[in-house]
Amino acid sequence: AKELGRNRASRFEAGLRYQALRHLDVEQALRRGLEHGELAVHYQPVIDVSTGRLHGAEALLRWNRPGIGPVPPDQFIPLAEETGFIVPLGEWVLGEALHQLGEWKGRNLLPSGFRMAVNLSPQQLGAALLTSVERAIGDNDLSPAELSLEITETTLMSERSNMSEAVHALASLGANLSIDDFGTGYSSLAHLRHLPVHQLKVDRSFVSGTEAGSRDAALIAAVCGLAQEFGLSCVAEGVESAEELQLVADLGCGYAQGFHIGRPTSAAVFAARWMGDQAG
Ligand code: C2E
Ligand code: CA
Ligand code: CA
Ligand code: CA
């Protein structure tokens, strides 16, 4: 039995070593990819449900690996979070997105009140973040109110004390804070009282494929009601059909995002489709 245990242990270790090596490979490829221009930021529209007009965009990272093709973010962001590479990578996304926003703004392409949403990983919520956010805003002649930072519930509810410091510092700068994937994490609604949050994003698992009168529909209505009580805006994610758009409108969501409205695309395609840009 001891022998068996030892074999099993060494097989387990070999498995871990293999995984670690594979992770190292992917991380190296990701670092090189960033240097060699394989990474890009795509933009997905967010609309005002009552007018159907463009309200903002969410910046979403894309990695186009030569010889392999597009790698979805779910396959490399968790890894980058593990290794810490998400910090420089996330800073790059922030820089790209705000540079793009500044460019659109400079050419008068933006509808009034337009907001650029950027996703933040928990590892990014440190002292350095405030500096890079301030720099990216200053470099591109933007105001903090034009930026929305998306943080998941789980990140916000974490016990790390510097987390809430970072969040408060960002809010006092004037940037908007949004809780992403709302409803999927370990939410303590009481936290909403203390956190300087501006927006809730209803996770797409509650929205996609949902019908009127269902439990998910009741949940969407409850989240939107909660947002309203707290004076926050509410975005429905994952709107995949005209029926779903109508449904989330009826349920009280002010804003919507999803494949039915528009898929994430390159900046040029986004500007042509949503801001009538003829240049691209
Ligand atoms: P997320 O922040 O919840 O972003 C929304 C995801 O839902 C995007 O997936 C988007 O393409 C997808 N989506 C939007 N509308 C629909 C729809 O109607 N139906 C379906 N099925 N999907 C829809 P994507 O781009 O693959 O990103 C996945 C996740 O990766 C993001 O989820 C976010 O957590 C993470 N991510 C992406 N870019 C970044 C980044 O720059 N930094 C960080 N930290 N995370 C990022
Ligand atoms: Ca997001
Ligand atoms: Ca989300
Ligand atoms: Ca997510």
Side-chain angles (χ1 to χ4, degrees):
K2 222 177 197 172
E3 188 65 17
L4 197 71
R6 209 175 302 135
N7 271 339
R8 207 177 278 155
S10 68
R11 224 181 305 139
F12 178 67
E13 275 166 27
L16 280 185
R17 256 198 316 275
Y18 172 76
Q19 259 222 322
L21 281 175
R22 214 180 59 94
H23 279 189
L24 211 66
D25 272 0
V26 178
E27 202 208 325
Q28 255 161 20
L30 189 56
R31 279 180 193 276
R32 287 175 51 90
L34 183 58
E35 280 165 23
H36 292 117
E38 294 166 22
L39 290 153
V41 178
H42 278 197
Y43 300 90
Q44 186 177 29
V46 178
I47 60 163
D48 182 324
V49 165
S50 62
T51 61
R53 289 222 183 93
L54 183 67
H55 171 69
E58 178 172 4
L60 294 161
L61 189 55
R62 294 290 177 263
W63 183 14
N64 204 3
R65 267 188 101 169
I68 294 180
V71 185
D74 291 332
Q75 279 179 34
F76 64 89
I77 283 173
L79 178 91
E81 287 179 335
E82 256 174 61
T83 63
F85 187 57
I86 193 66
V87 175
L89 188 59
E91 194 170 327
W92 180 80
V93 172
L94 184 74
E96 282 289 306
L98 293 196
H99 179 77
Q100 187 58 67
L101 182 63
E103 202 249 333
W104 286 335
K105 189 182 180 181
R107 294 171 54 215
N108 281 319
L109 289 173
L110 300 178
S112 72
F114 185 93
R115 280 184 193 174
M116 178 66 80
V118 176
N119 292 287
L120 292 182
S121 290
Q123 292 84 346
Q124 290 178 264
L125 289 175
L129 181 65
L130 192 67
T131 318
S132 36
V133 168
E134 274 185 302
R135 192 190 316 122
I137 286 171
D139 284 354
N140 297 293
D141 283 321
L142 298 166
S143 95
E146 293 174 282
L147 174 64
S148 180
L149 295 164
E150 299 196 351
I151 305 168
T152 65
E153 269 178 302
T154 320
T155 301
L156 274 177
M157 304 323 163
S158 141
E159 294 301 314
R160 270 169 62 181
S161 61
N162 55 343
M163 196 90 78
S164 96
E165 248 170 65
V167 165
H168 280 277
L170 288 169
S172 50
L173 191 71
N176 299 289
L177 289 170
S178 179
I179 306 189
D180 206 352
D181 305 344
F182 193 81
T184 60
Y186 301 94
S187 53
S188 161
L189 294 178
H191 279 82
L192 284 180
R193 288 190 305 197
H194 309 298
L195 286 164
V197 166
H198 295 80
Q199 174 179 275
L200 304 181
K201 291 187 92 168
V202 187
D203 191 68
R204 73 159 188 263
S205 59
F206 303 116
V207 176
S208 304
T210 296
E211 282 170 11
S214 63
R215 292 188 140 216
D216 279 352
L219 198 137
I220 297 169
V223 174
C224 293
L226 183 74
Q228 198 170 19
E229 288 294 317
F230 278 89
L232 317 177
S233 65
C234 185
V235 185
E237 295 191 285
V239 172
E240 292 183 343
S241 67
E243 290 74 25
E244 285 164 26
L245 182 56
Q246 184 59 52
L247 179 65
V248 301
D250 294 344
L251 296 173
C253 291
Y255 303 96
Q257 178 179 351
F259 290 171
H260 171 70
I261 296 151
R263 289 184 180 252
T265 59
S266 68
V269 171
F270 183 90
R273 194 168 300 161
W274 288 94
M275 302 185 290
D277 183 24
Q278 311 289 315

